[in-house]
Amino acid sequence: SLGPPIQMWGGNTVKRQDLSFRNSKGLKICFSLYLNESVEPDEEIYTIVYLHSHGGCKIEGYHLMKVFSEKTRAHLCLFDFAGCGHSE
């Protein structure tokens, strides 16, 4: 499970957005974007994109949200490659 859409990690509010797009072959690619709501609008921070292993899915990177939100306040993007997880 990717948890509830709004979570608290290390005193930071993190909001999950589940999104998708179509790749060049027309397949639907699904991803979840975890936005650290504690970040100021003009603050520059990183967005980390997690690439799962062969045959895996985006859930493999879920534990990283705690690490990155507590230590760097970064955003995190987890996605499923084509044919994996929720992607076509």
Side-chain angles (χ1 to χ4, degrees):
S1 169
L2 296 172
I6 298 176
Q7 303 172 48
M8 291 295 294
W9 294 97
N12 295 311
T13 302
V14 177
K15 182 178 178 184
R16 186 186 83 234
Q17 295 180 352
D18 296 317
L19 305 162
S20 66
F21 64 92
R22 298 266 172 200
N23 69 9
S24 61
K25 295 181 180 179
L27 299 173
K28 183 178 171 184
I29 303 298
C30 298
F31 65 100
S32 295
L33 185 59
Y34 290 84
L35 300 172
N36 191 327
E37 298 286 301
S38 303
V39 174
E40 297 297 324
D42 61 344
E43 184 179 357
E44 291 185 21
I45 65 162
Y46 294 103
T47 298
I48 296 154
V49 178
Y50 177 79
L51 308 175
H52 65 74
S53 63
H54 178 71
C57 66
K58 64 185 176 184
I59 193 74
E60 292 175 9
Y62 177 71
H63 70 283
L64 297 173
M65 190 64 245
K66 180 179 181 187
V67 174
F68 291 124
S69 75
E70 289 178 356
K71 299 196 186 242
T72 67
R73 294 172 26 123
H75 302 310
L76 179 65
C77 179
L78 306 175
F79 77 98
D80 288 327
F81 284 105
C84 297
H86 292 115
S87 292
E88 296 177 341

